[in-house]
């Protein structure tokens, strides 16, 4: 094991308090939430386990800051966001270590996520000065009409644990660019990265009350968010997480007709046609599937390989999967870190057991890895299953782990139908050498994101989001501000 320290050079970036207005606070109740290292179960730190009173205080602060922030020139908002981007990049190493400590991903991935998060901040620093309205040719000689874009108001941001930096940056940056203010609640497993990012935002000059962040346990998360859902000053919910929670938030937002954007669960198909470059398809699947140990919403969850190339593909894939090194983030040679928690690894075990009980065969892996020196850690061996069928749990639910389930197919129309036979529609991937097939299949797949002969799609310039039960709204791209703004129509009469 080539050990590396996950200690930060700037220890004060391990911020253990919540921020409301310009007050770093331990919370209005003396309750604490323990943050543990998934690599060994050790305690990283404690943060406040906030409640309803903290949630309301956050909205009070965000509302109080809104008029001044929305009234600032767009270039001033852009300058603050640019400085935030710069300080995030300057602290890439510390933030990467913090991500790896609380989320478990290997340090190289943690460092990479920091730059990914910063790319959204930089993108929206640029977009902030482009929120143009329109002067519209008037249908009336005595009237002039135009439209302007305005910030919606206070935005509630609720984020998951798998990308603790990128997911919250992908929401706070456009909110601030649009002139909104924010109340944020990061995932209970990974609050420290979000707290550090907000601390850096404060250092970059984000005014008091523009960003407010509270942390809460899984048991108390609903209590915090329910306050925001019921408060009519909160004009938008931006959520990334599971589909069941997303549906709940959408239902509860209806009472005050909040704008809602939902980046939810996936069940991505990965299709390898007979005319594909098999080596490229294997590498594409490795990149897409094993990023963050398979714990991403766009990970391929069902792999369909044409029967003519199935055995050759599986043999190459199994060799690559079997060679992946599993270990703690503190080992620089680790390629697959621990799963986020015990609940996650038990779901993966359940999926593998269910698949085998229905006839799937394990080609490589298939078992939990227990490390004597870290009995509480939740490691799972990189796994390839073949002979997967639609009725298996691993075909119906996202496994969210390092397990590849492979099925054969015969023709294009059959495999597209199978790929679409899911309530989800976030990402899909396919490999082919046929330009005509590229258009047919890309148009036929029911999803928001398509990888064509490519496995890694993340990009701040691209519109990220899904359809069906993977949610709605788009993050990043020139569309990323739309959900944080409203369009106002102005009509001036008496011109003639
Ligand atoms: N589409 C995307 O961009 C995207 C990105 C990352 C993760 N995800 C999805 O998120 C899931 C994994 O993340 P997770 O386990 O953190 O999801 P989760 O839905 O359990 O939790 C997400 C956030 O919601 C909060 N939350 C949980 N229950 C709540 C409730 N009743 N009321 C209010 N807030 C509540 C959590 O504290 C957390 O902050 C997977 O389904 C994954 O596909 C989607
Ligand atoms: O897990 C969800 C992330 O949004 C995936 S990505 O890093 O944006 O591709």
């Amino acid at each position: 094991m080539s050990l590396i320290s996950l200690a930060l050079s700037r220890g004060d970036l391990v911020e253990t308090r919540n921020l409301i207005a310009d007050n770093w606070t331990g919370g209005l109740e003396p309750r604490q939430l323990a943050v543990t290292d998934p690599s060994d179960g050790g305690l990283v730190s404690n943060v406040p386990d906030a409640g309803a009173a903290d949630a309301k205080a956050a909205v009070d602060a965000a509302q109080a800051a809104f008029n001044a922030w929305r009234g600032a020139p767009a270039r001033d908002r852009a300058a603050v966001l640019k400085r935030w981007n710069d300080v995030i990049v300057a602290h890439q190493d510390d933030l990467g270590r913090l991500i790896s400590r609380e989320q478990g991903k290997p340090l190289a991935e943690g460092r990479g996520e920091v730059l990914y998060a910063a790319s959204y901040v930089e993108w929206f620093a640029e977009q902030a000065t482009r929120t143009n309205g329109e002067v519209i040719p008037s249908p009336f000689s005595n009237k002039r009409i135009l439209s302007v874009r305005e910030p919606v108001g206070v935005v509630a941001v609720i984020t998951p644990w798998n990308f603790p930096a990128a997911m919250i940056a992908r929401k706070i940056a456009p909110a601030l660019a649009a002139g909104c203010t924010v109340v944020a609640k990061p995932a209970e497993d990974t609050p420290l990265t979000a707290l550090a990012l907000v601390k850096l935002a404060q250092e970059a000059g984000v005014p008091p009350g523009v960003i407010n962040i509270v942390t809460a346990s899984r048991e108390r998360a609903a209590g915090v968010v329910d306050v925001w859902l019921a408060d009519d000053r909160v004009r938008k919910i931006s959520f990334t997480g599971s589909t069941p929670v997303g549906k709940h938030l959408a239902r509860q937002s209806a009472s005050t007709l909040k704008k809602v954007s939902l980046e939810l669960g996936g069940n991505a198909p990965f299709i390898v046609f007979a005319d594909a470059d098999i080596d490229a398809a294997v590498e594409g699947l490795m990149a897409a599937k094993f990023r963050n140990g398979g714990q991403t919403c766009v990970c391929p969850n069902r792999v369909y390989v044409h029967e003519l190339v199935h055995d050759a593909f599986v043999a190459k894939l199994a060799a690559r999967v079997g060679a992946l090194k599993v270990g703690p983030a503190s080992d620089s040679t680790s390629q697959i870190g621990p799963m986020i928690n015990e609940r996650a690894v038990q779901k993966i075990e359940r999926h593998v057991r269910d698949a085998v009980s229905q006839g799937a065969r394990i080609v490589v892996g298939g078992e939990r890895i227990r490390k004597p020196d870290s009995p509480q850690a939740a490691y799972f061996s990189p796994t390839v299953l073949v002979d997967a069928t639609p009725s298996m749990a691993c075909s119906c639910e996202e496994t969210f782990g390092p397990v590849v389930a492979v099925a054969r197919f015969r023709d294009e129309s059959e495999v597209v139908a199978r790929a679409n036979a899911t309530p989800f529609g976030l990402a899909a991937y396919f490999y082919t050498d046929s330009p005509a097939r590229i258009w047919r299949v890309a148009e036929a797949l029911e999803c928001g994101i398509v990888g064509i002969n490519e496995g890694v799609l993340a990009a701040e310039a691209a519109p990220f989001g899904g359809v069906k039960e993977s949610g709605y709204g788009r993050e990043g791209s020139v569309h990323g501000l739309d959900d944080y703004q409203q369009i106002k129509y102005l009509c001036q009469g008496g011109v003639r």
Side-chain angles (χ1 to χ4, degrees):
M1 181 187 286
S2 51
L3 276 178
I4 46 178
S5 166
L6 292 180
L8 276 58
S9 58
R10 244 196 80 177
D12 68 316
L13 277 183
V14 183
E15 178 52 71
T16 60
R17 298 165 296 173
N18 289 183
L19 181 63
I20 295 179
D22 60 354
N23 178 28
W24 285 101
T25 169
L28 296 174
E29 300 176 46
R31 298 174 65 110
Q32 289 283 291
L33 161 65
V35 183
T36 56
D37 182 337
S39 293
D40 58 16
L43 177 69
V44 179
S45 185
N46 288 291
V47 297
D49 188 1
D54 303 287
K56 180 185 180 302
V59 178
D60 293 345
Q63 185 64 38
F66 176 55
N67 282 335
W69 182 246
R70 70 172 296 181
R75 65 182 302 174
D76 292 358
R77 292 200 294 270
V80 168
L81 285 170
K82 183 67 178 74
R83 286 198 299 270
W84 190 23
N85 166 72
D86 294 346
V87 292
I88 291 171
V89 173
H91 291 86
Q92 179 190 9
D93 199 56
D94 272 350
L95 290 171
R97 291 173 194 278
L98 196 51
I99 292 170
S100 292
R101 277 299 300 276
E102 65 174 356
Q103 197 270 334
K105 63 183 68 171
L107 181 56
E109 286 195 52
R111 288 170 53 82
E113 185 190 339
V114 175
L115 296 184
Y116 181 40
S119 72
Y120 284 104
V121 178
E122 182 179 47
W123 176 265
F124 287 109
E126 295 159 356
Q127 292 298 105
T129 60
R130 300 192 179 100
T131 60
N132 302 341
E134 299 166 298
V135 175
I136 303 160
S138 175
F140 316 103
S141 61
N142 66 333
K143 300 178 188 177
R144 295 295 176 266
I145 63 177
L146 64 147
S147 71
V148 294
R149 289 175 173 271
E150 297 180 336
V152 295
V154 174
V155 176
V157 166
I158 303 116
T159 50
W161 49 263
N162 62 340
F163 287 86
M167 296 303 99
I168 205 160
R170 192 157 87 176
K171 296 172 184 300
I172 292 180
L176 269 53
C180 298
T181 53
V182 169
V183 293
K185 191 206 71 67
E188 50 282 356
D189 290 299
T190 55
L192 295 171
T193 303
L195 292 170
L197 283 175
V198 171
K199 184 162 197 161
L200 291 175
Q202 192 182 44
E203 291 178 9
V206 173
V210 174
I211 303 175
N212 306 274
I213 183 167
V214 297
T215 53
S217 59
R218 190 158 195 88
E219 297 71 29
R220 283 165 60 92
V224 166
V225 176
D226 285 352
V227 169
W228 295 346
L229 290 166
D231 193 323
D232 62 7
R233 295 174 297 173
V234 174
R235 296 312 312 144
K236 173 178 170 62
I237 302 285
S238 182
F239 173 73
T240 296
S242 64
T243 292
V245 176
K247 287 182 175 181
H248 163 73
L249 299 180
R251 279 193 297 270
Q252 296 301 104
S253 295
S255 65
T256 52
L257 283 183
K258 302 181 196 318
K259 273 185 170 242
V260 179
S261 55
L262 300 174
E263 299 286 354
L264 304 179
N267 184 7
F270 188 103
I271 306 168
V272 182
F273 287 97
D275 61 357
D277 177 335
I278 297 303
D279 291 326
V282 168
E283 291 313 309
L285 179 56
M286 291 299 293
K289 179 66 203 182
F290 293 99
R291 188 165 154 246
N292 200 16
Q295 300 172 113
T296 92
C297 58
V298 292
C299 279
N301 203 61
R302 298 167 290 152
V303 178
Y304 301 103
V305 183
H306 192 277
E307 56 185 8
L308 291 180
V309 296
H310 175 276
D311 293 350
F313 178 87
V314 167
K316 289 174 181 279
L317 176 68
R320 293 278 281 108
V321 172
L324 287 170
K325 188 165 185 302
V326 177
S330 57
D331 180 345
S332 63
T333 64
S334 295
Q335 294 169 292
I336 303 292
M339 301 298 101
I340 186 66
N341 54 37
E342 183 63 24
R343 193 170 71 245
V345 76
Q346 288 179 4
K347 176 181 182 183
I348 298 166
E349 288 182 303
R350 174 171 62 83
H351 278 197
V352 172
R353 275 198 307 270
D354 169 77
V356 171
S357 73
Q358 294 193 53
R361 177 168 59 88
I362 297 173
V363 178
V364 62
E367 293 184 339
R368 178 176 186 158
I369 299 173
R370 293 196 182 275
K371 293 186 179 288
D373 57 345
S374 310
Q376 295 172 306
Y379 294 94
F380 199 88
S381 56
T383 298
V384 175
L385 302 172
V386 292
D387 303 331
T389 62
S391 63
M392 293 174 184
C394 61
S395 301
C396 305
E397 309 164 19
E398 59 183 351
T399 300
F400 234 58
V403 176
V404 180
V406 183
R408 301 165 190 264
F409 74 92
R410 284 213 177 101
D411 67 53
E412 183 180 303
S413 57
E414 169 216 343
V415 74
V416 167
R418 289 169 70 180
N420 287 336
T422 171
F424 299 99
L426 185 56
Y429 308 79
F430 66 95
Y431 278 72
T432 180
D433 194 29
S434 160
R437 189 195 321 275
I438 283 174
W439 284 107
R440 290 197 305 271
V441 175
E443 290 170 353
L445 287 170
E446 298 168 359
C447 60
I449 304 167
V450 182
I452 303 165
N453 297 330
E454 178 54 58
V456 181
L457 311 175
E460 75 285 357
F464 189 102
V467 297
K468 301 199 291 187
E469 299 208 5
S470 290
Y472 42 76
R474 291 295 180 265
E475 296 191 313
S477 84
V478 293
H479 306 289
L481 278 179
D482 296 353
D483 285 334
Y484 297 90
Q485 295 177 316
Q486 62 133 2
I487 295 174
K488 180 180 281 180
Y489 158 45
L490 306 181
C491 176
Q492 180 187 350
V495 173
R496 296 190 187 292

